Amino acid sequence: MKNTSKRTWRFLYDALLYPLLIIVAAVFLIMTAQLLPFTASEKLTISVTIILILLVETIIVTYHLLKKDGFIGRKKSKIKD
């Protein structure tokens, strides 16, 4: 039963906690970018760039973590003849 509990916590971290931490980091970076002395269009460009970079990074790393921990992937079925 302990192994199932550990697996559940790994899934919660991989699928929920890690993406939430990235969202918090994105909000912090965007709010920091709004304080910079740039024009409105430059601030918008910076914000969109931050969102796109963190979105791609989150998708790749979350997929990698879920695959590494065995939540994603094709399991081979053992067929006995």
Side-chain angles (χ1 to χ4, degrees):
M1 181 152 175
K2 187 173 184 175
N3 190 18
T4 304
S5 178
K6 182 179 178 183
R7 189 165 163 81
T8 301
W9 284 111
R10 273 314 288 176
F11 179 76
L12 289 175
Y13 172 77
D14 291 347
L16 297 175
L17 185 60
Y18 180 76
L20 285 176
L21 290 173
I22 296 299
I23 290 171
V24 169
V27 169
F28 176 76
L29 289 172
I30 290 170
M31 293 182 80
T32 302
Q34 295 301 319
L35 297 174
L36 297 174
F38 292 120
T39 64
S41 65
E42 290 171 335
K43 288 180 183 180
L44 178 64
T45 303
I46 292 170
S47 297
V48 169
T49 304
I50 290 170
I51 290 170
L52 290 176
I53 289 172
L54 289 178
L55 178 66
V56 169
E57 189 262 343
T58 303
I59 291 170
I60 292 170
V61 172
T62 301
Y63 177 79
H64 172 73
L65 289 173
L66 289 171
K67 188 168 184 168
K68 181 184 77 165
D69 291 334
F71 296 109
I72 296 177
R74 185 172 53 139
K75 296 188 179 200
K76 297 180 180 178
S77 60
K78 295 181 181 179
I79 300 173
K80 293 183 180 180
D81 292 330

